[in-house]
Amino acid sequence: MSPERPSREDLVAAFRLTRDRSVADCASLEPEDYALQAAVFASPPKWHLAHTSWFFETFLLKPFLADYQAIDDRYEVLFNSYYNGVGEQHPREQRGLLSRPSLSEVLAYRRHVDEAMLGLLEESHDEAEVIHQRTVLGIEHERQHQELMYTDIKYSLAANPLLPAFDAEGWGRAATPARKQLWDAFEGGLVEQGFAGTGFCFDNELPRHPVFLQPFELADRLVTNEEYQAFVDDGGYERPELWLADGWAFLQENDCRAPLHWLERDGEALEFTLAGVQQREDARPVCHVSGYEADAFARWSNARLPTEGEWEFAVKQLGECAQGRDTQTGLHPVASRAADDRQYFGACWQWTQSAYSPYPGFRPAAGAIGEYNGKFMSNQWVLRGGSCVTWSSQARPTYRNFFYPQDRWQFSGIRLAR
Amino acid sequence: MSPERPSREDLVAAFRLTRDRSVADCASLEPEDYALQAAVFASPPKWHLAHTSWFFETFLLKPFLADYQAIDDRYEVLFNSYYNGVGEQHPREQRGLLSRPSLSEVLAYRRHVDEAMLGLLEESHDEAEVIHQRTVLGIEHERQHQELMYTDIKYSLAANPLLPAFDAEGWGRAATPARKQLWDAFEGGLVEQGFAGTGFCFDNELPRHPVFLQPFELADRLVTNEEYQAFVDDGGYERPELWLADGWAFLQENDCRAPLHWLERDGEALEFTLAGVQQREDARPVCHVSGYEADAFARWSNARLPTEGEWEFAVKQLGECAQGRDTQTGLHPVASRAADDRQYFGACWQWTQSAYSPYPGFRPAAGAIGEYNGKFMSNQWVLRGGSCVTWSSQARPTYRNFFYPQDRWQFSGIRLAR
Amino acid sequence: MSPERPSREDLVAAFRLTRDRSVADCASLEPEDYALQAAVFASPPKWHLAHTSWFFETFLLKPFLADYQAIDDRYEVLFNSYYNGVGEQHPREQRGLLSRPSLSEVLAYRRHVDEAMLGLLEESHDEAEVIHQRTVLGIEHERQHQELMYTDIKYSLAANPLLPAFDAEGWGRAATPARKQLWDAFEGGLVEQGFAGTGFCFDNELPRHPVFLQPFELADRLVTNEEYQAFVDDGGYERPELWLADGWAFLQENDCRAPLHWLERDGEALEFTLAGVQQREDARPVCHVSGYEADAFARWSNARLPTEGEWEFAVKQLGECAQGRDTQTGLHPVASRAADDRQYFGACWQWTQSAYSPYPGFRPAAGAIGEYNGKFMSNQWVLRGGSCVTWSSQARPTYRNFFYPQDRWQFSGIRLAR
Amino acid sequence: MSPERPSREDLVAAFRLTRDRSVADCASLEPEDYALQAAVFASPPKWHLAHTSWFFETFLLKPFLADYQAIDDRYEVLFNSYYNGVGEQHPREQRGLLSRPSLSEVLAYRRHVDEAMLGLLEESHDEAEVIHQRTVLGIEHERQHQELMYTDIKYSLAANPLLPAFDAEGWGRAATPARKQLWDAFEGGLVEQGFAGTGFCFDNELPRHPVFLQPFELADRLVTNEEYQAFVDDGGYERPELWLADGWAFLQENDCRAPLHWLERDGEALEFTLAGVQQREDARPVCHVSGYEADAFARWSNARLPTEGEWEFAVKQLGECAQGRDTQTGLHPVASRAADDRQYFGACWQWTQSAYSPYPGFRPAAGAIGEYNGKFMSNQWVLRGGSCVTWSSQARPTYRNFFYPQDRWQFSGIRLAR
């Protein structure tokens, strides 16, 4: 969706890298894990592997590759996530029931799509511009699903009383004492919000437009486990005055009393991680909190959540650099190590107080591909930044992630504002 | 919440007028109707009569009137709507099971509170300022419940296959042909949003703050039944590309195919109204649509919903005057009669695309009374204006009404923007 | 359904008595109580008043009274309980939403039906035999609904935190010390089960047929509150080995820890009764227990529930006489006063271990009226006897009452067998 | 539970045969299939493999084998089906979420248990009698689970739109024209019901006791697909008068319009089988009907379902011989081939009209093992006979199978009585 077109070689390389990575990311799984779905929102790894292939097949191979032969026509419905414009979808809550196609059949499907895609990218084509743009989108799409694969499998493994590790090797760093949190101050004023430039962005980051910001301050690191524990200990989950009404109702209905994946055994503070059950270290950022929890914690702290405009402005002012899975070790957020380690990227997504709405003048892409972002613009909140399982290439100052305020299975944390 | 303090005489007069009106509004009901609750959101008339008294008792009589004796201590829980700071609440979905206290007991409760309130307002008091402010708030609160009484009983009577009229006399005006809809254009720019002045406003209308508006246009009347019928006839409810994802899911789960209270019998287009079943007249504004329906209609029309900032700016620019139940005849929106009848007030609440969020620097009132507005600032959408059952005294340019986007039982309609 | 035909005068007298009694039974209610329904199974008093009239209208007036004019054609659907052969039914769970027709309209409906019925019974008619039989059935039907009116309103009033009394005068007798429970022994053998004789019975009591009973013993009175409390105190509700699997699951899902209507306040053992909250007296029979609770109590007692064959045989052997609401004082079961007060009738219905099944050769009546009993012959258990709110005319040795094993809102108690 | 004790060699041989068969039965599955659970009642194959091992471990190895070391203590909870006396259970509806332990770990668990069991059976032991009895029970238990494995995986594969075959080779026989159904007549009288003899039986088949049977007739074969289709074509699913009330409600709530696993494509009558989608052959027995469907079909046929007493008496009179999976070809019921092929065993389980209740004098075994049968004696119906996936060793005249009347995923069919 940007004018700049990467070279064919770069595009092919990015395609290969991303496609291979999806398979490699799952290498530690047992066969049964590939079909595991413990909640409607947590798709099985095998489904992610198939759906990302479906995306290339549906939006590139079928429209643009002459004589393309699908490996199985029924996959069109089976691996459609939510594109009504393409047709019917297999019910989302039943993805875990797809023991077939088997893993080897899905891997064959991937190879089939990869070969066809590489053929398509090689050939000359009247629609080369659209093909390139959509291939970039497909790559970015697959990287998003790589992140979801981590958070989904984490959620689904957590439903097993055996609490198996995704990758027992993935727990690297030693604990760091938390450093004191300070505040960065910003003047605001009439500023520009939204993407500008020549690289890739999603449609929801456009159009760039002016917004007026009053002066504000943002915390210079994320909230830690220790700070969040103090909120819990102070009766945070028992005091309705700290909570939005819908959040309070959610707590009561779901009996939430701590972040998702927090555990306690014999008085010991633990955390379920992708590396299995681990000590819950004070200095690491609290993660897997809902928007409601983030909001209540902020209120308890006599602070508030930032708006997405404030967050974006601050990142640009500070010149923060993207970090992510490919620049970190381990599959869990680490503590901020120094004053210049502000954790805008590479640790946790950060809840904002902004509802996910269209920018003034927003136009989704034409056709089914326009369902990518726009139709979700109600009832969700914007998160900004990126987590330890986001690729750094995706961690952009203008990227708008969005989830329902009750969602907790992403690596979502808290940055305070005031 | 404003500095201006009405005179004691004016306050007492407003208090009496409002309190008497609540009882008078219900005069046409059968005894069993007073306890009727057909959905969790639709409280029984008797409950409204009691809860509005509870509000004065809780926030004025108990804290400020020495030696005040409650008529029944159990009412504190029974008629608490949602104030956790006051204590427990009788479950909202069971309000219809309160056959007791009987209507006569509730009327006695009202008289008891009225007498005590009049006593409190007569006496000198150190806290006179707070007492006056809260009495004003209690009066505004009761006027809001009068509106809810109309929409709640309409909903609950509609659940009866006999479709009884609330007030068969309430159907006055003859049909008017719809006039052509035109557009009013506005420049926007950096403008002020929120309440300013010396009269009453709710805390959520503050603080006044700058926002930047790009140029926009608003329709000069509301969408009519005829226009909405064209949307239905064009397959509006069968085309997912017109809908937000949550709205589409809501349609499927609830099998919505038309606005609430639309009926069809033997091919005749009808509408259930407070005056019973009536012809569905083309020129009247469509009402009882959800935010999702409003949004889908706007998309179908190649338009969009206004933001609340746009709406407020337009009203101020146009110098629109409040109208309401007390300036209209009938209990149903009427057609726009002329070019200067823009229907900002007095017909239907108008869905905006704005999520209900705090204004920058928003601070709720201290204590339980601070639960009035602030805690609902998630998942709801702002509606602006006022309806045929809103008092004109409440129809303010800065008033922020809010409901969930799926809610349809209010007199909610559509004004297009582009 | 028996050949014996009462005289016209007796029939008319029974009709008048029964019809008048339905209205008189409700005399202590507030208007709003008439429409009260706190659970799907607990119909509002007004609905009972209307439905019993509907029964006469549907099965007698419409087929047999020439020129009968219904007062409102919509009542045919509105007050049909479950007769698919008659047509559609207003949803059972929405009976409490029928604020209209108002009480006075329902009373007018009753008078309209009464007059027409008296006219029908006066005239000569070719179908006089069927008319007489169905009138008897209608009378018995209305007496069943009188009992339901008591148990339904008791349930519905109990949902109100004010715990209002149905009739505060209805609490008469002083407590009696419980007498020791003894066992009556029976030989059994090949015996006859089912109705024989010339009076009225329901179709499900036929045909009379032989069953083989092994020797057994039955308790000579019902289980008392004191005995049941010992079961509770012994952890009865926490010991799965005492419970049927479905019963145990029901306990967990519904958090049952005591019979319905048991209360405890400040350590005091209380009971909600039709006379409001009262002391829970040791010697009174425990009532409002489910079949599961009865079964678990019996297992805990090293006993079991009787089969319906055993129960019927015992009553016939003992020559027990019917008692009921018309021979008792008060609206709550009283303690057994003496060794010959075996409480087969007039206190509580008694759960048997027998599933409600057709007798060999059972044939329901033809047409919609055949839906009266037969279609309920799955998943329910038979109760025998009669309660303090059953008319003595209905307390027959062969009467088969039936409810789901989880049902607790009837006056259901426990007689042990071994 | 019988006095006769098989020789040690025979017991060991039966143990080995049965244990090996469980694994062999699953040989055609994909790894992901082993964890598949499409409904709460349909356990995954891997779970069956583990639970049957758990049974031997819990009731034999832990109590009787000195120094037995469990392979993983957490399996005690994980693979406990419903034995409260043993302790907590992993929630039944989450068995499909157990991607771990992996299949290879479960197979290792089986080998561990097998070795220990063979050791236990080899050694001399004071409790040899109990050990032998329980080993027999464990073997019978495992054979029951083998049958469930077939019906569960059939149900779960049917939830996949690809409709994969369990074993594409398993569809053998050609269609046979249906032979005319005749009636076998029986005198009845006072007869004995329940198990007698020296072999194995379950506790619920005891004690043998007299029952009185009136003269009756039973169909000499099962109802066919063709006959059932006639019921469907005659509006059987739209006529409430044919149905028990609970059955009718079940139809409406679940939108049932045909037996489970019936399919129709382009007007062709098909059936999902363990061999994949196949033609629905007229002469084969209808299977996968609920008790409600069986009962409604019988009513439509002017017949009824047999009682379990009638069925058992008939089998004994006719001298029917057990058949089952090991004597059949294919994994689907075949048509009755001749007049003496009465299909009491080896085709479908046959719904009776008898509620599953204790026999007079029934006593479950002491301890947790007593939960095997007795606690399910409410709300279920008895089925008699055996199906094409029952071992012939289990097909006993006195065997009482039991399911809820709405259950359809077993090979359950219909034998008429009158």
Side-chain angles (χ1 to χ4, degrees), chain C residues 84 190 209-212 214 240 243-246 248 292 353 355 357-358 360 374-379 381 404-405, chain D residues 84 190 209-212 214 240 243-246 248 292 353 355 357-358 360 374-379 381 404-405:
Chain C
N84 294 309
L190 195 63
H209 61 286
V211 294
F212 185 82
Q214 300 190 337
W243 295 80
L244 288 165
D246 287 352
W248 183 250
Y292 295 130
Q353 65 167 241
S357 302
K375 73 179 181 183
F376 300 108
M377 290 177 172
S378 64
N379 305 320
W381 289 9
Y404 290 99
Chain D
N84 294 308
L190 194 64
H209 62 284
V211 293
F212 185 83
Q214 300 188 340
W243 295 80
L244 289 165
D246 287 353
W248 183 250
Y292 295 131
Q353 66 168 241
S357 302
K375 72 179 181 182
F376 300 108
M377 291 177 172
S378 63
N379 306 320
W381 289 9
Y404 290 99

Side-chain angles (χ1 to χ4, degrees), chain B residues 117-163:
Chain B
M117 275 298 299
L118 291 171
L120 177 67
L121 295 177
E122 285 304 310
E123 71 183 20
S124 297
H125 203 293
D126 289 352
E127 304 269 17
E129 182 61 31
V130 174
I131 290 171
H132 277 239
Q133 281 180 11
R134 289 206 181 172
T135 302
V136 170
L137 182 63
I139 290 168
E140 296 289 334
H141 171 260
E142 185 143 356
R143 289 175 182 178
Q144 290 183 311
H145 277 277
Q146 288 167 359
E147 173 158 0
L148 288 173
M149 191 281 291
Y150 282 112
T151 52
D152 290 0
I153 193 71
K154 183 174 181 179
Y155 186 88
S156 291
L157 290 174
N160 190 324
L162 304 180
L163 291 171

Side-chain angles (χ1 to χ4, degrees), chain A residues 210 212 245-246 292 355 375 379 404, chain B residues 210 212 245-246 292 355 375 379 404:
Chain A
F212 185 83
D246 287 351
Y292 295 132
K375 73 180 181 182
N379 305 321
Y404 290 100
Chain B
F212 185 83
D246 287 351
Y292 295 131
K375 72 179 182 182
N379 306 322
Y404 290 99

